[in-house]
Amino acid sequence: MNIRKIESVIKNPRIVFGIMASSYYVNKYFRKRSKHYERNYASVLEEELAGLNYNVGAGEIARQLSVILQNNLDISSVDVLIEQDENEISTIYSTQDRVTNVRLDNPLFDVVLNADHPIVFKSHIETHHVLASGKNELNRLMDSTYSEALIVLKEGRKIFGVILLGPKKLGNAFTDYDYE
């Protein structure tokens, strides 16, 4: 990636907004959906997310977000992909030093948007009929990035980023239990 692309990513307010919004929705989602997380856990996560320093570059914000998510959700990895070129999202930060590029015209994004599920667990790909038409593409993306969860960053139907969460460190899968 050349320096101009990096500079444009860092100066892009949509990236900062996306990371802020994703921080809020990740916290809200796991606090509401998961019985095994204690109330104290939610307040710690919320406090840490509120303490993110948004006066640094997008890569540093993504790194801080990744540390918070890994520590609080007990996940093995985090990849943050943001739109950098027209119609493509690319890695701006990866805890595994992976570089991933995904075309936004990939049918998996239409499926996720139409299903109105901005968070998709790998276990849902087989069990939720609304994801069936994007099953192959979703599996391909998650398998290639060793991810168990996909968080879509969007404004309306405009996707500008994705956060990919790796497996839980104890080997537990994200399941329907996390929704109850």
Side-chain angles (χ1 to χ4, degrees):
M1 180 183 316
N2 67 37
I3 298 299
R4 289 185 191 162
K5 285 185 182 179
I6 293 171
E7 288 174 350
S8 69
V9 167
I10 292 170
K11 293 178 183 177
N12 189 335
R14 289 175 54 194
I15 292 171
V16 174
F17 169 77
I19 291 175
M20 288 172 43
S22 67
S23 299
Y24 171 77
Y25 286 111
V26 166
N27 180 39
K28 182 178 174 183
Y29 177 82
F30 282 102
R31 187 175 28 170
K32 278 184 170 182
R33 304 290 188 191
S34 189
K35 290 181 182 176
H36 66 278
Y37 292 113
E38 297 177 18
R39 187 176 187 95
N40 292 341
Y41 169 87
S43 63
V44 169
L45 177 62
E46 189 170 333
E47 185 178 310
E48 289 180 8
L49 292 173
L52 277 173
N53 180 3
Y54 294 101
N55 295 320
V56 295
E60 177 59 18
I61 294 170
R63 187 198 67 75
Q64 292 175 22
L65 175 64
S66 297
V67 169
I68 292 169
L69 292 174
Q70 282 185 291
N71 291 340
N72 289 286
L73 301 178
D74 199 35
I75 53 177
S76 60
S77 64
V78 178
D79 292 284
V80 180
L81 287 68
I82 299 294
E83 183 178 27
Q84 296 181 28
D85 291 324
E86 185 66 29
N87 210 27
E88 184 175 77
I89 55 176
S90 302
T91 303
I92 64 163
Y93 184 79
S94 171
T95 58
Q96 302 295 312
D97 294 323
R98 283 189 290 259
V99 175
T100 304
N101 298 301
V102 182
R103 301 265 318 149
L104 288 172
D105 56 3
N106 187 321
L108 79 88
F109 292 117
D110 277 335
V111 171
V112 171
L113 289 172
N114 291 339
D116 197 26
H117 284 267
I119 299 176
V120 177
F121 294 153
K122 190 170 184 177
S123 60
H124 292 167
I125 296 171
E126 299 297 327
T127 60
H128 288 67
H129 72 280
V130 294
L131 301 173
S133 61
K135 175 177 149 179
N136 292 337
E137 291 84 4
L138 282 165
N139 276 323
R140 194 172 301 121
L141 175 62
M142 290 189 164
D143 288 345
S144 69
T145 58
Y146 306 99
S147 301
E148 293 292 323
L150 166 90
I151 302 168
V152 176
L153 307 176
K154 64 185 183 83
E155 286 180 90
R157 290 193 58 84
K158 173 70 175 149
I159 294 172
F160 57 87
V162 166
I163 298 175
L164 298 163
L165 305 178
K168 294 180 182 181
K169 291 178 183 173
L170 296 177
N172 301 330
F174 292 102
T175 66
D176 287 338
Y177 178 77
D178 292 307
Y179 276 97
E180 297 173 4

